Amino acid sequence: MQRLTALFSAALLATGLMTATAHAQQTQEPAQDPAQDPMATQQAAPAEDFSDDQLQQFADASQEIAVISQEYTQRLQEAEDESTQQEVRTEANDRMIEVVEDSGLDVDTFNAIGQSIQQDPEMMQRVQEMAEQS
């Protein structure tokens, strides 16, 4: 069970990395209407009803992201300056996005599931069971 907790912590960390990058990219664009900000909408949206296929894709992607997260956390700690740390973060983020997209989900759906499982213990349990079976 400790392994699964670590797995989902890493996935949620990854979700945070992807969200931060998406937000940083948005802030570089010209000012937008807050009503059109997908992050604001996503945070305010109630928990969605995701299909079993989507939850399985999330569980599978989360396992791969956990491995990537461990690898890049070590590299980040070994980075000697801010520039190198930023390069490591960017590379990690790109790999995590690739894993999510290869799983069949888009980043927004992956993030939405990650947020939902934080708020819904039953959904968390379902995803953990799916992760154990794969």
Side-chain angles (χ1 to χ4, degrees):
M1 185 56 103
Q2 218 172 13
R3 184 178 142 269
L4 287 174
T5 302
L7 171 124
F8 288 107
S9 296
L12 295 173
L13 170 68
T15 301
L17 288 174
M18 289 186 281
T19 302
T21 299
H23 184 69
Q25 289 171 348
Q26 288 173 357
T27 57
Q28 292 172 357
E29 296 172 5
Q32 296 177 358
D33 178 10
Q36 293 178 346
D37 182 359
M39 296 308 295
T41 304
Q42 188 178 18
Q43 290 172 350
E48 296 180 41
D49 205 15
F50 299 102
S51 71
D52 283 348
D53 284 345
Q54 288 174 311
L55 295 179
Q56 185 64 58
Q57 290 166 325
F58 177 87
D60 293 344
S62 295
Q63 290 178 346
E64 289 184 57
I65 286 172
V67 172
I68 292 169
S69 179
Q70 286 180 331
E71 174 188 336
Y72 281 92
T73 297
Q74 182 177 351
R75 287 183 54 191
L76 192 60
Q77 291 170 348
E78 294 169 355
E80 296 189 13
D81 58 29
E82 183 61 35
S83 174
T84 306
Q85 289 177 350
Q86 187 57 41
E87 288 175 20
V88 171
R89 284 187 198 104
T90 300
E91 187 179 327
N93 191 57
D94 290 346
R95 282 195 55 201
M96 288 185 273
I97 290 171
E98 185 178 320
V99 165
V100 169
E101 291 172 347
D102 287 349
S103 77
L105 294 174
D106 58 64
V107 173
D108 290 337
T109 303
F110 181 87
N111 288 342
I113 293 171
Q115 289 177 349
S116 291
I117 65 172
Q118 285 181 307
Q119 299 167 1
D120 184 344
E122 288 180 22
M123 185 182 292
M124 170 71 86
Q125 182 64 36
R126 283 177 58 201
V127 172
Q128 286 177 334
E129 289 169 4
M130 290 175 172
E132 287 174 356
Q133 293 172 2
S134 41

